[in-house]
Amino acid sequence: MQVFIVGTGNMAGGIGTRALAGGHSVRLIGRDPAGARELAGELGRRVPGGDAAAAEADAVGEADVVVLAVPFEAAKEVVASYGQRLAGKTVVDISNPVDFSTFDSLTVPAGSSAAEEIAAAAVPGVDVVKAFNTTFAGTLVAGEVAGIPLDVFIAGDDADARARVAELASSGGLNPVDVGGLHHARELEGFQLLHMALQTRPEGHGWMSGIKIIAP
């Protein structure tokens, strides 16, 4: 698949690393073109032979999966500005609408989620999937915590879109966990609110922990 990543920060680097490890191509775009080129070069060093390059916005038309590796409010702006260019695409929202001043609450209304608000801002025909919001950037680069592959929780209303994101995760050495419809994004965002809050405590894990479902 071709994975088009909007954003050039740490999460873009982590997801890009897993995508290249899975044999996919990666195209990057950010507000600063130099930042996209720099990240593409870094990804090439992490995964030698991987196909990573900076791109222009129009290149989104060639993408199989579009990852919004930007904060919640910026993600809403991106889907609104891209408009029809995203129609028919699988769009992955990784954001967490957390009150970062307290790490004590979400900033979306009760009963809603960032993913659902992003879907509402998109044109009809865009398949928004919530995924990668419960994984930290450093763990994505490694693909594991303490030798155990990361779980990637996936929520979305279109089964084919969820399967596409699951393939992206599994091909990169991660464990996809399909939780069903997009309305479950609110639970995933609540999961990560608690997970992030734990990192701020003195006994926190330095943003290198993971949420894992263990079964016999």
Side-chain angles (χ1 to χ4, degrees), residues 56-175:
E56 300 293 335
D58 287 344
V60 73
E62 302 173 5
D64 297 294
V65 175
V66 179
V67 178
L68 305 177
V70 292
F72 166 46
E73 293 295 342
K76 285 199 297 184
E77 294 174 6
V78 168
V79 296
S81 65
Y82 275 44
Q84 288 294 332
R85 287 180 288 187
L86 295 178
K89 301 293 183 185
T90 296
V91 175
V92 181
D93 163 42
I94 74 166
S95 69
N96 286 295
V98 171
D99 182 343
F100 290 102
S101 66
T102 63
F103 285 97
D104 196 41
S105 63
L106 298 175
T107 60
V108 291
S112 184
S113 67
E116 289 166 296
E117 293 201 9
I118 289 166
V123 300
V126 176
D127 295 318
V128 174
V129 175
K130 189 78 183 188
F132 295 103
N133 76 298
T134 61
T135 53
F136 295 133
T139 64
L140 279 168
V141 173
E144 61 182 38
V145 172
I148 302 172
L150 301 178
D151 279 356
V152 176
F153 298 92
I154 299 169
D157 290 336
D158 184 87
D160 289 339
R162 295 199 308 271
R164 196 168 291 116
V165 178
E167 166 60 20
L168 173 61
S170 62
S171 63
L174 311 178
N175 180 50

